[in-house]
């Protein structure tokens, strides 16, 4: 027989003070099944409730309900002057912006913020266990944790593993390693650009927002790989424990750390993109040249009803913000700009969103989920603006409100889910600029397991191999292949080239058999 856990006075009786506190917010049903819980479960329940900032949650809920009842401002297309389009962008502008960006990088003015979230990927237990074994990681799950919390833990850890394990490239590199090597390459390019080939430059500081469950595995993973050539103090990991990116940046004092290091601008992106151009100097130079507080990379909508959010202007002369596809009337979505021939509302937010749900059930506070769920974002902010946003979003306490059927101990229950998106920062910006990019050059999402219809490691790998094959051919190289070229290609190490530059000396006149990696 198992050893009995002694029941102590702290958990034998219903905690009246805590019950009274819950009654103030109509949440006393949280103790409805107190008598059915073991001493361990009672202690966990008490700890969970005590950790909740009930006044803040109540304020957010009430402010969000009030905001939803207010009439929405009319939307207008983003003015052409706020967008740098691919066809209007000249070679002279690209070179000028690139030099400005590299100079700022060499001066240590750019920081990089990685949002390490992700979509839920279902894997068999044996795969999950083998990945843990391969990475030599231990996951400690406390006794008495609910199935819901356990599911979230596995979700976050599986997501971490997907990005710590390679996606099938010839090099076997993970997404983390590819991004670290792009940072190394940029540091070298910045030093060469400013100091005529000198290897010295100020490092790019890389801030990685983790979840409370993936923070320790992330640290161990980077330590075991010696930070992929970066200095240890270049890489800072911080768990998002407050249920919101911007408040977490402030509460974790990362904004203070960035200011102390002389960082003026922050490149913010999601991990789930195999082609992400981390700290893109051309984008940074454009951002600086426009003198705006916020900027975003965008792609054109493929067709009117594509399920992506688009940038709009709220009211005449109002702020630029993002409208989700479900909020955009179908007639507006199909309107054509007669001067450009494009859709009037065409600038897609690259399928990007982050949300931080707060879940409420009717008369029952189920749980506050501190969960960062990131697809792909490609944004740039000034540090001063991020400080303003952190204060503004917390003061206004307005989240997106959606009625959902939410799992609970009583089965599916009607409740409210409040979401805060990363693009909620844009309405606070006094000025915003958009920078068009091509999907096939900068967008290879990894959000689903192989076997799904889209956004898998296999599909991302092919996008990388095809793009890099074009780089090699443009640099004077030749390819041979045993399978159709559309199904293969070559991988160019980020240590060789950031975006296809400087490959002539390596590739001109040489033949490469696909698939392979091209490195120094």
């Amino acid at each position: 027989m198992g050893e009995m856990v002694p029941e102590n006075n702290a958990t034998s009786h219903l905690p009246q003070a805590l019950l009274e506190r819950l009654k103030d917010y109509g949440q006393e049903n949280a103790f409805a099944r107190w008598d059915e819980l073991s001493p361990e479960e009672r202690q966990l329940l008490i700890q969970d409730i005590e950790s909740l900032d009930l006044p803040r949650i109540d304020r957010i809920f009430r402010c969000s309900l009030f905001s939803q009842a207010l009439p929405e401002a009319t939307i207008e297309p983003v003015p052409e002057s706020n967008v740098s389009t691919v066809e209007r962008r000249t070679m002279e502008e690209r070179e000028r912006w690139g030099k400005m960006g590299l100079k700022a990088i060499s001066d240590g003015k750019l920081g990089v913020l990685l949002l390490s979230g992700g979509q839920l990927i279902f894997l068999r237990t044996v795969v999950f266990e083998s990945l843990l074994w391969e990475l030599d990681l231990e996951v400690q799950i406390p006794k008495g944790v609910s199935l819901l919390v356990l599911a979230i833990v596995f979700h976050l850890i599986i997501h971490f593993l997907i990005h710590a394990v390679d996606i099938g490239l010839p090099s076997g590199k993970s997404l983390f390693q590819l991004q670290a090597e792009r940072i190394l390459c940029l540091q070298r390019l910045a030093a060469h650009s400013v100091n005529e080939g000198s290897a010295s430059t100020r490092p790019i500081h890389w801030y990685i927002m983790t979840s409370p469950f993936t923070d320790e595995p992330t640290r161990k993973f980077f330590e075991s790989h010696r930070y992929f050539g970066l200095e240890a103090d270049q890489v800072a990991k911080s768990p998002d424990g407050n249920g919101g990116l911007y408040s977490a940046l402030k509460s974790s004092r990362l904004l203070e750390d960035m200011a102390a290091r002389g960082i003026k601008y922050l490149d913010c992106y999601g991990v789930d993109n195999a082609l992400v151009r981390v700290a893109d100097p051309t984008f940074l130079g454009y951002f600086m040249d426009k003198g705006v507080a916020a900027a975003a990379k965008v792609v054109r909508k493929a067709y009117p009803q594509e399920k992506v959010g688009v940038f709009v202007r709220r009211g005449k002369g109002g702020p630029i913000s993002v409208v989700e596809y479900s909020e955009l009337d179908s007639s507006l979505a199909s309107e054509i700009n007669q001067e450009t021939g494009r859709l009037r509302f065409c600038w897609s937010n690259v399928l990007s969103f982050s949300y931080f749900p707060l879940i409420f059930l009717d008369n029952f506070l189920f749980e506050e989920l501190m969960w960062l769920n990131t697809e792909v974002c490609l944004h740039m902010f000034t540090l001063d603006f991020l400080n303003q946003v952190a204060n503004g979003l917390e003061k206004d306490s307005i989240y997106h409100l959606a009625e959902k059927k939410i799992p609970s101990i009583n089965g599916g229950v009607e409740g409210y889910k409040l979401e805060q998106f990363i693009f909620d920062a844009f309405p606070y910006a006094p000025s915003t600029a958009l920078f068009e990019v091509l999907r096939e050059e900068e967008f290879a999402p990894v959000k689903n397991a192989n076997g799904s219809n889209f956004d898998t490691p296999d599909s991302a790998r092919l996008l990388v191999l095809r793009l890099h094959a074009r780089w090699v051919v443009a640099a004077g190289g030749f390819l041979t292949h045993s399978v159709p070229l559309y199904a293969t290609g070559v991988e160019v190490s980020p240590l060789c080239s950031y975006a296809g530059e400087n490959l002539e000396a390596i590739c001109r006149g040489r033949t490469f058999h696909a698939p392979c990696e091209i490195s120094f």
Side-chain angles (χ1 to χ4, degrees):
M1 293 180 61
E3 184 178 344
M4 296 292 292
V5 178
E7 187 169 5
N8 57 50
N9 291 332
T11 59
S12 59
H13 301 292
L14 192 65
Q16 289 299 317
L18 205 53
L19 178 62
E20 293 301 317
R21 181 181 166 206
L22 288 175
K23 283 182 179 180
D24 292 340
Y25 300 95
Q27 303 295 329
E28 60 270 22
N29 281 353
F31 286 123
R33 298 195 178 184
W34 175 263
D35 292 337
E36 301 174 23
L37 302 179
S38 69
E40 286 181 337
E41 290 170 334
R42 289 178 179 181
Q43 187 62 39
L44 284 169
L45 178 61
I46 291 171
Q47 290 172 358
D48 280 348
I49 294 173
E50 288 178 338
S51 70
L52 296 175
D53 187 344
L54 291 173
R56 176 175 180 266
I57 294 172
D58 184 65
R59 184 180 74 249
I60 289 173
F61 188 49
R62 293 179 184 277
C63 289
S64 300
L65 280 173
F66 178 77
S67 175
Q68 189 184 45
L70 296 176
E72 286 278 8
T74 58
I75 62 172
E76 298 182 355
V78 176
E80 292 292 312
S81 60
N82 288 70
V83 187
S84 171
T85 61
V86 171
E87 71 258 17
R88 291 206 315 262
R89 200 175 301 147
T90 66
M91 180 64 73
E92 179 186 7
E93 284 178 324
R94 289 199 296 269
E95 291 179 353
R96 179 166 58 87
W97 290 335
K99 289 178 181 178
M100 288 177 63
L102 288 173
K103 176 66 167 63
I105 289 171
S106 71
D107 290 340
K109 294 181 179 180
L110 179 68
V112 174
L113 178 69
L114 166 60
L115 304 179
S116 183
Q119 290 290 75
L120 182 57
I121 301 173
F122 292 98
L123 299 175
R124 293 184 182 274
T125 304
V126 65
V127 176
F128 178 74
E129 290 177 347
S130 68
L131 290 173
L132 288 177
W133 175 82
E134 177 184 340
L135 296 171
D136 191 26
L137 298 176
E138 294 183 3
V139 180
Q140 300 295 331
I141 307 296
K143 291 182 179 179
V145 172
S146 70
L147 289 176
L148 174 70
V149 175
L150 190 59
I152 295 170
V153 173
F154 277 108
H155 156 76
L156 293 166
I157 295 174
I158 289 173
H159 168 263
F160 160 76
L161 292 170
I162 287 297
H163 299 98
V165 177
D166 73 83
I167 60 171
L169 291 169
S171 66
K173 293 176 182 176
S174 65
L175 295 183
F176 283 139
Q177 182 170 356
L178 292 174
Q179 292 160 20
E181 291 184 355
R182 285 177 189 140
I183 290 174
L184 284 168
C185 182
L186 266 182
Q187 290 179 170
R188 189 179 69 248
L189 289 173
H192 181 82
S193 173
V194 177
N195 301 321
E196 298 182 353
S198 168
S200 63
T201 187
R202 293 183 66 180
I204 297 172
H205 288 279
W206 194 15
Y207 296 87
I208 301 175
M209 299 299 289
T210 61
S211 76
F213 299 108
T214 61
D215 185 66
E216 185 177 355
T218 302
R219 292 175 187 276
K220 288 184 176 180
F221 182 73
F222 274 86
E223 289 169 2
S224 67
H225 289 82
R226 299 183 179 181
Y227 298 92
F228 303 107
L230 297 169
E231 297 296 326
D233 64 355
Q234 273 185 260
V235 185
K237 281 78 61 183
S238 178
D240 176 7
N242 278 349
L245 167 65
Y246 300 107
S247 59
L249 284 173
K250 191 173 183 69
S251 64
S252 63
R253 308 189 73 172
L254 285 185
L255 293 177
E256 291 182 27
D257 181 82
M258 294 173 191
R261 296 178 187 274
I263 292 171
K264 303 292 184 184
Y265 315 107
L266 195 65
D267 179 37
C268 181
Y269 75 97
V271 69
D272 307 342
N273 184 0
L275 284 177
V276 63
R277 294 189 181 179
V278 183
D280 183 351
T282 305
F283 182 39
L284 172 59
Y286 167 72
F287 174 69
M288 295 168 60
D289 194 35
K290 296 290 285 186
V292 294
K297 286 187 175 183
V298 293
V299 298
R300 298 188 192 194
K301 285 184 70 172
Y303 50 91
Q305 304 309 322
E306 184 180 13
K307 294 182 177 181
V308 294
V310 292
F311 280 93
V312 302
R313 168 156 277 174
R314 287 283 186 186
K316 194 170 184 64
I320 290 176
S321 63
V322 174
V323 170
E324 281 299 285
Y325 69 89
S326 58
E327 301 171 347
L328 188 64
D329 185 84
S330 59
S331 61
L332 286 178
S334 301
E335 286 186 5
I336 302 295
N337 183 324
Q338 297 302 322
E339 292 183 8
T340 64
R342 296 192 299 264
L343 294 170
R344 290 186 71 225
F345 299 94
C346 68
W347 300 121
S348 161
N349 193 33
V350 200
L351 301 177
S352 73
F353 65 83
S354 300
Y355 70 71
F356 314 91
L358 294 175
I359 294 182
F360 297 83
L361 307 183
D362 291 340
N363 299 316
F364 186 80
L365 175 60
F366 186 66
E367 190 154 1
E368 180 179 9
L369 298 180
M370 298 170 287
W371 185 356
L372 170 64
N373 186 0
T374 310
E375 289 192 20
V376 179
C377 72
L378 305 165
H379 300 154
M380 191 82 70
F381 303 109
T382 66
L383 200 62
D384 289 341
F385 173 62
L386 283 179
N387 273 297
Q388 296 170 18
V389 168
N391 293 328
L393 284 174
E394 184 64 22
K395 177 184 176 183
D396 293 344
S397 300
I398 297 174
Y399 282 52
H400 301 270
L401 185 65
E403 293 186 36
K404 298 282 186 180
K405 179 158 287 192
I406 301 168
S408 78
I409 55 176
N410 298 315
V413 181
E414 293 297 326
Y416 295 99
K417 182 170 74 171
L418 288 88
E419 302 172 332
Q420 189 177 85
F421 297 82
I422 191 169
F423 51 70
D424 285 338
F426 286 98
Y428 290 84
S431 53
T432 300
L434 306 181
F435 189 83
E436 184 191 8
V437 298
L438 300 177
R439 295 184 191 226
E440 61 269 23
E441 292 185 357
E442 299 199 33
F443 190 43
V446 185
K447 297 190 290 290
N448 302 307
N450 284 328
S452 300
N453 293 327
F454 53 87
D455 297 347
T456 66
D458 283 347
S459 65
R461 182 185 70 251
L462 277 177
L463 288 168
V464 172
L465 295 180
R466 290 170 184 170
L467 174 64
H468 291 191
R470 295 196 294 274
W471 290 357
V472 170
V473 172
F478 302 93
L479 299 179
T480 60
H481 44 94
S482 304
V483 298
L485 192 55
Y486 67 79
T488 187
V490 295
E491 176 191 0
V492 176
S493 168
L495 297 174
C496 288
S497 180
Y498 177 80
E501 77 289 336
N502 301 330
L503 287 176
E504 288 79 5
I506 300 173
C507 299
R508 185 172 300 279
R510 293 185 61 191
T511 299
F512 303 92
H513 185 75
C516 69
E517 181 196 18
I518 298 173
S519 59
F520 283 119

